[in-house]
Amino acid sequence: MTGIALIISFILAILIMIFMIAKLKVHPFLALMSISLALALIAGIPLTKIPVMVGAGFSGTFKSIGIVIIFGAIIGMVLEKTGAALKLADMVVKLVGQKRPELAMLIMGWVVGIPVFCDSGFVVLNPIREAIQKKIAANPVGTAVALSAGLYAAHVFIPPTPGPIAVAGGLGLEHNLLLVILMGIAVSIPVLIASYLFAKFIGKRVILQDDANDELIAQGYEDLLKKYGTLPNGFLSLAPIFVPIILMALGSITKISGATGDIANFILFLGNPIIALGIGLIFAIILIFQCGKISEFETLTNDTLKLVGPILFITAAGGVLGKVIVEAGFVEYIKENAHIISSAGIFFPFIISAILKTAQGSSTVAMITTAAIMGMFNVDDSLMSALGLTSEIAAALTVMAIAAGAMCVSHANDSYYWVVTNFSKMTPQQGYRTQTTLTFIMGIVGISTVYVLSLVLL
C-alpha cells in the first residue's frame, strides 16, 4: 500500500485506537498491539515478517529504557512512603515563605513532582496546602491550582518520571537523559510563571463551598506527620534525586571534553543513566533504612513494579507501532512529500500528542504513542528524519513538544483531573474553569517556549 491510501489507513488506525481506549475502555497495551497488527496486515507487510517485527519493536524498548523507568519509579515510591516528599515540601515552604502561598505550592509541587507521580504527589501534599490555607487565610483555589501546575509540569517535562524517560528512549536519547532534564527545567520555567499568574487570577474568581472545620484540617496534617514519624533529614531526602543528576552531569562534561584514561572511563560509567539512577536507588535504600522501614522495602518494590508494569508494556507496544509505521512505508511517503509538513516542524509532534491526550486522557499514553510515531532522531527511516529533527538538541526539543502536547487538556477522562478537583473540593464545572484551563495554558506556553528555543538552538 502506498500514497494517500496509506495515510488514510494510518489516520483511521489512530482514530480507532483512540476510540478503543477512550470509549470501549480497552487497555492501551491491547489497543496499541491490536492496531499495530491490523495496520501491518492492511499495509501489506509480508506475514512472515510481522512476528519478527513485533518482537524487535517490543524488546528494543525494554533494552533501551526499561531499567531506567523501574529505578526512577522505585526512587519516587521510596520518597513518598518515607515522608521524604513531605520533607522536600517543608524545605520549599521555608525557602519561599508562607507569605507567598501560591508560589510555595507551585515550587513544592515542581520539586516533589520530579520523582513522584503527579496524582500521588497531589494526595501527599494536599494536607500541607490545606494547613497553610487555614493558618494564613490563603486562597484555596489559587493554592490548589498552583500545586497542580507544579506537579504536572515536572511530571511531563522532567525525568525520572516514566513519561519523559520513555519518550527520550523512543526518540533515541536514552543515553543523554541529562540533556532532557536540563531542557525540561528550561521549558518548565515559563510554564510555571504562566501557571502562577493564572493561579493568582482564577483564585479570586472561583468560590468553594467549603464547610470543613479548621481544626480538623490542621489535625489531618498532624496525623499525616505522625504516620511517617520523624521526617528524614534534608540530605537523604535530596540525594536520591540530585546525586544521579550530578553524576550524569559529570559524565556529560567528561564526554564533551574528550578526556580519556581510567578516571574518565569511570566517570563515564557512573554517568550512564542506568548506573546513575542505580546509585540514586542505593541512596533511596539508605533513606528507607534510616527511617526504620527497610522491612517494607520488598513490598514497596512489588507495589512499584505493579504500578510501573503497565507503563513498560505500553511503552513496548508503542515501539511495535513505531516499527509497523516504518515498515509500512509511511515514513518514506512523508519524506517524498516532506514539503507538505516540513513547515509544521516542532509543532507536528505537539499536535499529535495533544490530540491523543485530549481524546483518551492519559498523558503518559499520549507521550509514548507520539514518540513511537516520531521514531528515533538518528535513523534515516523515521519521521524525525523526515522533519529534519536529526540532532540531539532537536530530539530533546521534540521530547518537550510532545510533553507540552500531553498537557492539552486535562478534563473528565483524566484521573488527575478528578484527583485535583475532588481533593480541593471543586465541582466538575469549577474543575473545567481551573484544571482544564490551566493545562491548556501550560501546553500552549510550553510549545511556545519550545518554538522559541528551536529558533535559537536549531
Side-chain angles (χ1 to χ4, degrees):
M1 182 182 293
T2 58
I4 298 299
L6 183 63
I7 300 297
I8 292 174
S9 297
F10 172 73
I11 294 172
L12 287 175
I14 297 301
L15 291 175
I16 293 171
M17 182 187 67
I18 291 172
F19 178 76
M20 291 172 68
I21 296 172
K23 296 298 182 182
L24 301 182
K25 305 302 179 184
V26 177
H27 192 279
F29 170 75
L30 295 177
L32 277 164
M33 291 297 290
S34 58
I35 286 298
S36 298
L37 181 59
L39 186 60
L41 293 171
I42 293 172
I45 296 174
L47 295 178
T48 55
K49 197 173 184 179
I50 291 177
V52 177
M53 181 185 62
V54 170
F58 196 87
S59 62
T61 301
F62 279 99
K63 180 176 68 176
S64 64
I65 209 71
I67 296 174
V68 173
I69 291 177
I70 292 171
F71 283 177
I74 295 176
I75 289 171
M77 187 70 80
V78 169
L79 292 178
E80 179 184 339
K81 297 301 183 181
T82 58
L86 284 180
K87 180 65 177 182
L88 292 174
D90 284 344
M91 292 168 68
V92 171
V93 171
K94 290 178 181 178
L95 179 66
V96 178
Q98 294 189 3
K99 293 183 179 179
R100 295 178 289 274
E102 290 88 358
L103 182 60
M105 292 298 109
L106 186 78
I107 298 176
M108 180 193 306
W110 186 72
V111 171
V112 173
I114 293 174
V116 178
F117 281 82
C118 58
D119 304 64
S120 301
F122 198 94
V123 174
V124 170
L125 298 180
N126 190 58
I128 299 176
R129 181 191 69 84
E130 291 184 324
I132 291 176
Q133 166 201 327
K134 297 302 179 182
K135 289 176 182 177
I136 64 173
N139 186 284
V141 173
T143 52
V145 170
L147 177 59
S148 169
L151 287 162
Y152 202 29
H155 180 79
V156 300
F157 285 127
I158 307 174
T161 46
I165 289 181
V167 175
L171 299 186
L173 276 180
E174 67 272 12
H175 297 301
N176 199 352
L177 285 181
L178 178 66
L179 177 61
V180 180
I181 291 171
L182 294 177
M183 194 70 76
I185 292 172
V187 173
S188 64
I189 289 174
V191 173
L192 293 175
I193 292 172
S195 301
Y196 175 70
L197 295 175
F198 177 73
K200 297 284 287 185
F201 170 82
I202 198 67
K204 300 174 183 178
R205 289 163 175 79
V206 174
I207 307 300
L208 300 181
Q209 294 181 345
D210 187 1
D211 297 324
N213 183 280
D214 292 5
E215 293 181 4
L216 290 178
I217 294 292
Q219 185 61 42
Y221 178 52
E222 294 302 322
D223 289 342
L224 184 65
L225 291 178
K226 289 178 182 177
K227 171 187 171 184
Y228 292 109
T230 303
L231 294 181
N233 64 58
F235 172 76
L236 283 178
S237 299
L238 290 169
I241 307 172
F242 289 102
V243 167
I245 292 175
I246 293 170
L247 291 175
M248 285 188 283
L250 291 174
S252 296
I253 293 170
T254 303
K255 184 177 181 180
I256 293 171
S257 69
T260 57
D262 293 340
I263 295 177
N265 289 335
F266 184 65
I267 294 174
L268 290 172
F269 167 76
L270 294 178
N272 181 282
I274 293 177
I275 304 302
L277 279 168
I279 293 172
L281 179 57
I282 292 173
F283 276 100
I285 294 172
I286 295 172
L287 169 63
I288 200 170
F289 180 82
Q290 189 263 343
C291 292
K293 297 184 178 181
I294 192 65
S295 61
E296 302 176 17
F297 185 62
E298 181 183 2
T299 302
L300 183 148
T301 303
N302 287 332
D303 291 343
T304 304
L305 292 176
K306 291 176 184 177
L307 178 68
V308 82
I311 295 172
L312 286 171
F313 288 127
I314 293 169
T315 304
V320 174
L321 177 61
K323 282 283 186 182
V324 171
I325 289 171
V326 171
E327 293 292 338
F330 174 76
V331 174
E332 282 300 318
Y333 180 78
I334 292 295
K335 285 183 178 180
E336 293 171 3
N337 300 272
H339 60 282
I340 298 175
I341 65 167
S342 60
S343 59
I346 203 71
F347 289 98
F348 184 81
F350 168 80
I351 293 169
I352 298 297
S353 183
I355 291 171
L356 290 169
K357 162 63 181 177
T358 303
Q360 54 78 41
S362 169
S363 295
T364 303
V365 171
M367 294 172 73
I368 291 170
T369 306
T370 306
I373 292 171
M374 296 301 295
M376 293 191 178
F377 80 94
N378 51 1
V379 297
D380 294 333
D381 58 350
S382 71
L383 195 52
M384 290 286 286
S385 177
L387 289 168
L389 302 170
T390 56
S391 67
E392 288 196 351
I393 292 292
L397 287 170
T398 304
V399 174
M400 297 301 109
I402 292 172
M407 289 179 154
C408 295
V409 290
S410 175
H411 60 99
N413 63 359
D414 179 11
S415 62
Y416 190 48
Y417 170 87
W418 294 110
V419 168
V420 173
T421 53
N422 288 336
F423 276 84
S424 56
K425 302 178 180 64
M426 286 189 275
T427 65
Q429 292 76 15
Q430 290 173 329
Y432 278 106
R433 290 184 63 190
T434 55
Q435 179 69 3
T436 303
T437 305
L438 167 72
T439 52
F440 176 76
I441 292 171
M442 293 177 77
I444 296 301
V445 173
I447 188 58
S448 300
T449 304
V450 171
Y451 176 66
V452 172
L453 288 174
S454 72
L455 295 177
V456 177
L457 299 176
L458 298 182

